[in-house]
């Protein structure tokens, strides 16, 4: 079938129009007045991403103007929560800018709750401020719409394009429209990946009919990780997964219930068990914090040399930037911090273009055509393979996206430490898991899609699988149990600061598909000066 191809050339391409993507699109226009800025979103930016349905609280606000918190305090909080392993340069950089982001939200009409006595934003917790946030997402989307040359909704980005003149430099991205089936080529000087987190790579507690009812957004499918991984970008802390302890058989905005309405959880005996056991608990992780994601350059004024290669939030692939959940090493950004990080990445991307680092990028028609064949293959797999089915839905020639997802989740659950195994794993099971994931990758060449929606599901699955491989490699590499409660290495049950007080890095060779692992030092930037002076 002849398929329409739409080609766009631009300066800055933002992949994903969630919190970080809208922040990036907005800020790109501020610094790059004459640049062509395009934002591409899988859903519709008015209601997309983890904030689609709105929020009751902005979870990251310093309140610097009132002396409530300083960026250093936030670094200490994230460092403590992540057992010492964070990129303090990235966290500090986000924290020192986040208040200005929140003040813009206020100016743009986001209804903020105010403390009647002090006139300040109403606090419910050290970092949170309360909002009437049903329209949070449409409000930030409006800022992005006014800033971009074009916003494309309903286009899923499946691959990054690479420059053919200079090795390891990005050249754009490709994808398809989930309504029309048209093929889209975006040739770009810089790309900012802001495609959210990854849910559903492990089997959720609720299965069958309830499997979509997870805490993290079920449409967050790991594109944020798979796109840079496939392009050969280094990733960090991918073993640092999150397990949300909420309450049984219910799903809802529990953060607001706890914080604002002061509710608490009970056990089967009706006891407030958290209060009862409070003194006995030595380590409970707060909030939703993880550090997994792309290894990016820090800001030039505070990043140590190992963390700095020219442009803030640029990955190890030139011209490829990250923001929000995409970026590894920096936790507790939440909605406001992700928007802020989008702004920081966009400012650096503009600088990259202005300093003529994006000259002479060449993306051949052949590279684009090759991706076209790859992207639409699941439709062909289905069209050919369905003729072999005489009854039911199981084909000898293809697997459906949901079958593939269930297989992925079974592998991750059993071999990488999921809920059925009480989050326990070890070297042998991890190695077996990697073998099974390789086989799954091979079989996914045969995934079948009966329509464009299923084609999206097929590509979501492929992105989840690549992300899972990276998670498994990292989990195998870190020979200790750093975050008990999230997962346990049965063969290394203790925390091992001597060998593992470090960040883990991986890189997948785009040609061979093989991962290599290394360690990177953790620098405790905040408090270091004071410690030295004291000693
Ligand atoms: C249930 C829940 C409650 C939360 N509560 C709070 C709270 O109360 N306060 C707070 O401050 N924060 C809260 N957060 C955190 C906050 O929502 C996230 O930190 C923030 O949204 C992350 O921003 P992001 O841009 O990285 O990802 P997202 O906002 O999720 O945006 C990612 C975007 O990329 C798009 N996308 C994905 N893949 C592709 C692709 N291949 N091609 C094109 N587009 C793609 C998605 O559709 C989405 O729009 C909550 C999160 C969740 C899940």
């Amino acid at each position: 079938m002849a398929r329409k191809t739409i080609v766009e050339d631009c300066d800055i391409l933002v992949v994903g129009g969630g919190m970080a993507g809208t922040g990036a699109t907005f800020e790109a226009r501020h610094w790059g007045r004459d640049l062509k800025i395009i934002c591409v979103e899988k859903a519709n930016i008015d209601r997309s991403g983890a904030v689609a349905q709105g929020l009751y609280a902005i979870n990251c606000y310093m309140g610097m103007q009132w002396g409530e918190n300083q960026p250093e305090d936030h670094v200490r909080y994230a460092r403590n929560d992540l057992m010492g392993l964070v990129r303090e340069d990235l966290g500090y950089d986000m924290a020192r800018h986040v208040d200005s982001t929140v003040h813009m939200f206020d100016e743009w009409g986001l209804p903020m709750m105010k403390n009647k006595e002090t006139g300040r934003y109403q606090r419910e917790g050290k970092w949170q401020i309360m909002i009437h946030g049903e329209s949070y997402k449409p409000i930030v989307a409006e800022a992005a719409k006014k800033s971009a040359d074009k916003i494309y909704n309903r286009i899923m980005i499946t691959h990054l394009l690479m420059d053919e003149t200079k090795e390891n430099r990005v050249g754009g991205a490709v994808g398809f429209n989930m309504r029309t089936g048209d093929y889209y080529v975006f040739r770009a000087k810089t790309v900012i990946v802001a495609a959210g987190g990854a849910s559903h790579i492990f089997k959720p507690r609720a299965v069958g009919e309830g499997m979509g009812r997870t805490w993290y957004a079920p449409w967050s499918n790991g594109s944020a990780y798979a796109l840079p991984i496939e392009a050969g970008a280094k990733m960090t802390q991918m073993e640092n997964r999150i397990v949300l302890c909420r309450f049984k058989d219910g799903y809802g905005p529990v953060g607001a219930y706890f914080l604002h309405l002061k509710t608490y959880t009970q056990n089967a005996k009706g006891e407030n068990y958290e209060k009862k056991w409070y003194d006995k608990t030595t380590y409970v992780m707060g909030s939703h914090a993880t550090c997994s994601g792309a290894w990016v350059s820090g800001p030039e004024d505070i990043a140590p040399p190992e963390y700095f290669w020219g442009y803030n939030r640029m990955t190890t692939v030139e011209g490829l930037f990250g923001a929000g959940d995409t970026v590894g090493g920096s936790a507790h950004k939440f909605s406001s911090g992700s928007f802020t990080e989008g702004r920081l990445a966009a400012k650096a991307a503009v600088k990259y273009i202005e300093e003529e680092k994006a000259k002479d990028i060449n993306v051949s028609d052949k590279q684009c055509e090759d991706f076209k064949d790859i992207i639409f293959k699941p439709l062909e797999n289905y069209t050919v393979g369905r003729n072999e089915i005489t009854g039911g839905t199981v084909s000898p020639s293809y697997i459906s996206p949901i079958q593939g997802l269930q297989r992925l989740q079974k592998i991750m659950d059993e071999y990488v430490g999921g809920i059925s195994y009480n989050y326990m794993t070890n070297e042998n099971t991890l190695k077996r898991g990697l073998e099974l994931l390789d086989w799954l990758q091979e079989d996914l060449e045969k995934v079948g899609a009966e329509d464009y929606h299923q084609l999206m599901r097929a590509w979501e699955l492929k992105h989840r699988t690549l992300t899972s491989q990276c998670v498994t490699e990292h989990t195998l590499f870190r020979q200790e149990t750093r975050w008990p409660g999230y997962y346990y290495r049965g063969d290394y049950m203790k925390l091992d600061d001597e060998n593992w007080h470090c960040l883990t890095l991986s890189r997948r060779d785009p040609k061979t598909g093989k991962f290599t692992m290394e360690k990177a030092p953790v620098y405790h930037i905040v408090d270091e000066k004071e410690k030295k002076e004291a000693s």
Side-chain angles (χ1 to χ4, degrees), residues 415-485:
Y415 296 96
V416 194
I419 187 166
S420 312
Y421 288 74
N422 288 324
Y423 310 108
M424 184 68 75
T425 184
N426 63 45
E427 184 175 327
N428 290 335
T429 57
L430 287 163
K431 284 186 172 159
R432 177 68 176 147
L434 283 172
E435 194 178 19
L436 293 172
L437 285 169
D438 268 343
W439 294 355
L440 176 61
Q441 287 273 24
E442 278 174 31
D443 287 353
L444 289 185
E445 290 302 309
K446 302 248 173 60
V447 68
E450 61 183 290
D451 54 29
Y452 298 134
H453 189 77
Q454 288 301 311
L455 187 62
M456 173 191 74
R457 289 278 182 254
W459 280 104
E460 286 184 339
L461 172 61
K462 283 170 185 255
H463 286 183
R464 281 191 166 102
T465 305
L466 195 51
T467 304
S468 301
Q469 275 188 317
C470 191
V471 168
T472 310
E473 293 279 1
H474 275 255
T475 311
L476 178 62
F477 186 59
R478 182 177 284 283
Q479 294 176 329
E480 64 160 356
T481 297
R482 170 74 42 176
W483 303 281

Side-chain angles (χ1 to χ4, degrees), residues 3-78:
R3 193 171 295 284
K4 203 164 143 190
T5 300
I6 291 107
V7 182
E8 278 277 13
D9 289 295
C10 63
D11 295 297
I12 297 183
L13 176 69
V14 180
V15 176
M19 286 310 291
T22 49
T25 308
F26 167 78
E27 192 79 9
R29 175 59 69 219
H30 179 82
W31 299 99
R33 295 274 148 195
D34 304 323
L35 297 186
K36 185 166 174 190
I37 300 153
I38 288 181
C39 175
V40 184
E41 165 57 48
K42 176 172 86 160
N44 183 312
I45 70 160
D46 279 340
R47 286 282 171 198
S48 71
V51 180
Q53 72 282 24
L55 301 174
Y56 278 101
I58 288 176
N59 282 352
C60 184
Y61 178 72
M62 302 297 116
M64 283 184 269
Q65 59 177 325
W66 297 305
E68 291 177 336
N69 298 293
Q70 297 303 328
E72 289 84 354
D73 300 321
H74 194 268
V75 170
R76 289 183 196 109
Y77 151 60

Side-chain angles (χ1 to χ4, degrees), residues 15-22 40-45 47-60 136-137 155-158 194-197 214-217 219-224 227 252 255-256 288 323-326 333-339 463:
V15 176
M19 286 310 291
T22 49
V40 184
E41 165 57 48
K42 176 172 86 160
N44 183 312
I45 70 160
R47 286 282 171 198
S48 71
V51 180
Q53 72 282 24
L55 301 174
Y56 278 101
I58 288 176
N59 282 352
C60 184
Y136 194 2
K137 191 66 212 302
I155 291 178
M156 177 169 186
I157 294 296
T158 55
T214 49
W215 173 82
Y216 213 82
W219 49 83
S220 297
N221 70 288
S223 297
L227 292 169
H288 30 285
D325 288 346
T326 308
K333 290 176 278 197
F334 300 101
S335 59
S336 46
S338 297
F339 191 95
H463 286 183

Side-chain angles (χ1 to χ4, degrees), residues 224-300:
Y225 311 117
L227 292 169
I229 291 170
E230 197 164 29
K234 283 190 182 177
M235 305 299 284
T236 189
Q237 299 293 92
M238 290 297 283
E239 70 279 24
N240 184 216
R241 67 180 82 158
I242 187 168
V243 178
L244 278 312
C245 303
R246 294 283 162 144
F247 52 88
K248 190 162 162 23
D249 303 330
Y251 308 86
V254 290
Y257 278 50
F258 286 135
L259 289 173
H260 194 49
L261 304 177
K262 313 293 181 208
T263 61
Y264 62 91
T265 39
Q266 294 181 339
N267 63 16
K269 293 180 188 158
E271 297 164 339
N272 180 345
Y273 60 87
E274 225 181 312
K275 204 168 166 191
K276 184 175 170 190
W277 295 106
Y278 189 79
D279 293 338
K280 303 255 179 332
T281 50
T282 50
Y283 174 59
V284 177
M285 278 233 197
S287 194
H288 30 285
T290 53
C291 260
S292 46
W295 180 242
V296 298
S297 174
E300 61 186 1

Side-chain angles (χ1 to χ4, degrees), residues 156-218:
M156 177 169 186
I157 294 296
T158 55
H159 301 84
L160 295 175
L161 292 166
M162 298 305 283
D163 177 26
E164 289 163 53
T165 311
K166 190 175 179 200
E167 210 179 323
N168 195 38
R169 185 164 66 169
V170 80
V174 291
F176 66 96
N177 184 305
M178 289 173 288
R179 294 288 188 265
T180 63
D182 292 340
Y183 177 55
Y184 277 81
V185 176
F186 300 96
R187 284 193 294 238
K189 290 182 183 161
T190 56
V191 178
I192 302 171
V193 174
S199 60
H200 278 279
I201 65 172
F202 283 90
K203 185 166 79 88
R205 189 181 183 109
V207 291
E209 175 273 331
M211 81 173 288
R213 291 180 212 153
T214 49
W215 173 82
Y216 213 82

